[in-house]
Each structure stands twice: as C-alpha cells, then as structure tokens.
Amino acid sequence: MRLKDWRDACRRHRFAILFASLLITLVIGPLLDALWSEANAEEILVTLNLFVAVFSLGLGRTVFRWCLGLACTSFLMRWILFPIHADLLIPAGRLLWVSLSLAVSVGILRVVLSSGRVDSERIFAALSLYVLFGLAFGDLFASIESIHPGSLAGIKAADAGVGSVLSQAIYFSFVTLATVGYGDISPATALTRGLANIESIIGQLYLAVLIARLVSLHGSHQSGGLLKPGKSSQVNEVHE
C-alpha cells in the first residue's frame, strides 16, 4: 500500500484511531505504571493522545499549527524542561494539556452532534469525546493535587506500588464521570468537590443528549430514505 493510501485510510478512520489510542492509555497505562512506576508510562501515553486528537479534527493549516505548537509546548514542559522547576512546570504543562484537550473536545462535539448519517466514525467520535473528557479531568485533578497536596483524600505516593499520582487521578476521574463512587479516593477541598460535581453532571447530561441526538439523526435518515420513493411516485401520478 502506498503512502497516499495509508494517509487516506487514516483520514477516513481518524476517530477510530483516536479511540484506539485512548483505550490503550486506559488499559495499558495503569498496568505499566504499577509494574514500572519510574517510566511514567501513563504520563507519556496521555501526552501523546493529545497529538492524535489534534490530527483527528482535520483542522485548517493555521489552527492546526497553533494547536500542534501548544501540544508540543505542553510536552516540553512535562518532559524536557521539568528538571529546571518540576514543582511548577509539570502542573503548568498539565494545565496547558487540559485547556487544549477541552478545546479539541469542543471540535469533536461539533462532529458528533452535526447533521448527517450516523456511521461508525460518528460513534467512535462520541466514544473518544467521553474518554478524552475523563482524561482531561484526571489531568486537572493531578495538577491540583501536585500544586496543593491533600486535595484528593486517598491519593498515595507512587512508591507505594499503586501507580503515579496521574494514574490515580485518572482513576478517580472516571469513577466520578461514571458516578460509581467507590470512595477509596475522594475530593477533600471545595475546589475538587466542585470539579467533581461538574464532571459528574456533564457526564450524565452528555450521555442523555448524545443518545437523543443519535436516535433523532438515525430516525431522520431512515424516514428520509423511506420518503424518497413515495415522493417520486407522487410526481409520476401528477404527470400521468
């Protein structure tokens, strides 16, 4: 297969690729973090997901360059420049990642809710948006915990064999997003409680609106396909 064919295939299945990337982060990242915490595997995977998300939107050249530049800046702050001032640059890099990922999420949301046929790419876009939102809040909680330790009660040190702070924060984020509420990690400050409330509410509203919208689009497409033959037969009767 030629390079052009590979590029066209990636464009046709860009949201499927994004969802696979996010799923790998959720499944493989915690395992690698627990087995080899020094490698910070989940930090690397989460950072790389932003690049995949930016590529998946198919942005214009100027906007794409700006987004790519911000993603690279976040990567540099978290991985290259952090020895200069780790306590400042890592949380700042995470917050930049969160800001850009939420902006990318808005672009994906427009794709999900736009009119048109409901196909597999739209489904993958909807799933990717849900997972990306959970990762963004996980990174946000990790940033707050890094700046103000104790904001999340139950977070343990990485050397305790439970994974990095980011891994635990992502776990808490998805527990909150799914409104499971195990209670092993809980918000301990007004800020983290407020963010947990926002995440849980948005998560439930998103699922409700998403299902309603997809059912509506599918119904409109089906009814449109059924009406076309009827309209043509009516036109034929008029001509006769």
Side-chain angles (χ1 to χ4, degrees):
M1 185 180 290
R2 295 177 302 175
L3 179 60
K4 183 177 182 300
D5 296 332
W6 277 104
R7 187 173 56 197
D8 293 341
C10 290
R11 286 176 179 172
R12 289 195 303 269
H13 304 290
R14 61 187 189 275
F15 289 114
I17 295 172
L18 174 59
F19 181 67
S21 171
L22 294 168
L23 203 60
I24 289 172
T25 300
L26 289 182
V27 176
I28 304 298
L31 295 177
L32 293 176
D33 252 353
L35 296 174
W36 190 20
S37 58
E38 294 83 3
N40 291 327
E42 192 149 17
E43 287 268 7
I44 297 173
L45 292 173
V46 167
T47 306
L48 293 178
N49 276 323
L50 185 57
F51 289 95
V52 181
V54 170
F55 277 102
S56 69
L57 281 180
L59 301 170
R61 183 174 298 180
T62 303
V63 179
F64 174 76
R65 287 177 177 175
W66 273 102
C67 291
L68 193 60
L70 291 174
C72 290
T73 303
S74 174
F75 180 81
L76 289 173
M77 293 172 70
R78 295 174 70 164
W79 293 106
I80 308 299
L81 301 176
F82 76 90
I84 300 173
H85 203 319
D87 294 339
L88 175 63
L89 287 177
I90 290 180
R94 285 176 176 168
L95 291 174
L96 180 59
W97 188 98
V98 170
S99 301
L100 184 55
S101 63
L102 291 178
V104 170
S105 297
V106 173
I108 299 176
L109 182 63
R110 294 180 62 182
V111 173
V112 172
L113 300 181
S114 62
S115 58
R117 186 170 63 91
V118 179
D119 55 5
S120 59
E121 273 297 279
R122 190 188 292 266
I123 300 299
F124 280 123
L127 295 173
S128 298
L129 177 57
Y130 188 78
V131 179
L132 185 61
F133 186 75
L135 287 177
F137 263 82
D139 225 343
L140 181 57
F141 285 124
S143 302
I144 295 171
E145 178 65 22
S146 298
I147 297 171
H148 189 274
S151 296
L152 292 177
I155 290 286
K156 300 178 182 179
D159 55 7
V162 294
S164 65
V165 171
L166 176 61
S167 178
Q168 297 174 74
I170 289 174
Y171 160 76
F172 169 73
S173 175
F174 279 97
V175 167
T176 303
L177 187 62
T179 63
V180 177
Y182 291 123
D184 51 346
I185 300 176
S186 59
T189 64
L191 177 59
T192 51
R193 291 192 190 103
L195 290 173
N197 286 336
I198 293 172
E199 183 179 14
S200 59
I201 291 171
I202 292 178
Q204 296 307 304
L205 289 177
Y206 172 73
L207 292 177
V209 172
L210 174 66
I211 293 173
R213 178 60 173 168
L214 292 182
V215 170
S216 173
L217 289 174
H218 182 70
S220 299
H221 180 73
Q222 292 292 97
S223 62
L226 293 174
L227 286 174
K228 286 180 181 178
K231 288 182 178 179
S232 61
S233 62
Q234 290 176 5
V235 172
N236 290 334
E237 289 177 2
V238 171
H239 284 299
E240 289 175 357

